[in-house]
Amino acid sequence: MDNILPKPWELHPALVHFPIAFLLGGVVLLLWAWWRANEIQHRVAAGMLLVGMVSGWLASTAGGLAYFTVPAHTEQGHVLMYWHLGFGLAMLILFTWLSTVSWRGRTTAATKLQLTVALCGVVLLMLTGYLGGLIVYHHGAGVNPNILAPEIRDGHSHGNNEQHDVSVHEH
């Protein structure tokens, strides 16, 4: 059995489910609290959004670590990582604003601007997750290199012994 400690690139997928759950749940509860004019539910939604935002930044930091340590993946997967990063940062900025405003005003109903930002954040969250799935499941990022096709496994590195293959990319 290999070392049971996670590899650096394995931290991101281990953490990313927490912000997904808390942010989606927080938005659903925020909408429900707004519709029902329920202060208690709005307070809980604000707390969920805050936890989702904090755990999102932690998962994002782990994603940065994964970017620099992940083993072989396709070149297209590498390009998609930039889109994943961009959508993820935009989403986190929206949810940081939303969670801050919601927490400060947790005794009052959400405004239409907050609800709009929440829905835009959910769309960005879904796009970010979709791209993350593509990067792993279709482009091999984070997959054990020993089980990948040779053209992906033997890609190029950015070290001193650079090899070039247009189909793959390895950090």
Side-chain angles (χ1 to χ4, degrees):
M1 181 174 180
D2 289 340
N3 187 351
I4 61 170
L5 294 176
K7 307 284 188 276
W9 62 86
E10 294 173 334
L11 294 174
H12 179 64
L15 295 175
V16 75
H17 299 90
F18 294 101
I20 292 170
F22 279 105
L23 293 173
L24 289 177
V27 168
V28 168
L29 192 55
L30 186 72
L31 291 167
W32 181 258
W34 173 79
W35 186 61
R36 303 286 295 179
N38 188 309
E39 179 186 328
I40 293 172
Q41 291 172 343
H42 190 268
R43 286 177 182 233
V44 174
M48 290 177 72
L49 290 169
L50 190 64
V51 171
M53 179 267 297
V54 170
S55 62
W57 283 108
L58 291 172
S60 178
T61 301
L65 179 62
Y67 175 82
F68 290 106
T69 61
V70 70
H73 51 275
T74 67
E75 189 66 39
Q76 181 64 29
H78 188 75
V79 171
L80 289 174
M81 286 180 192
Y82 293 118
W83 288 98
H84 180 70
L85 172 69
F87 284 132
L89 284 176
M91 178 261 310
L92 279 173
I93 289 167
L94 287 180
F95 277 120
T96 297
W97 178 85
L98 178 64
S99 65
T100 303
V101 170
S102 295
W103 184 255
R104 287 182 181 159
R106 61 190 172 273
T107 59
T108 60
T111 65
K112 289 183 181 178
L113 176 61
Q114 286 174 275
L115 298 175
T116 302
V117 168
L119 294 174
C120 290
V122 166
V123 169
L124 287 171
L125 178 63
M126 291 168 51
L127 281 170
T128 303
Y130 174 74
L131 288 175
L134 282 177
I135 292 165
V136 172
Y137 296 119
H138 292 271
H139 299 285
V143 176
N144 181 346
N146 295 328
I147 64 173
L148 293 174
E151 60 270 12
I152 296 173
R153 182 179 58 240
D154 300 330
H156 71 268
S157 67
H158 292 215
N160 293 335
N161 300 329
E162 260 193 55
Q163 303 169 348
H164 293 283
D165 181 337
V166 296
S167 65
V168 295
H169 188 101
E170 183 178 348
H171 288 278

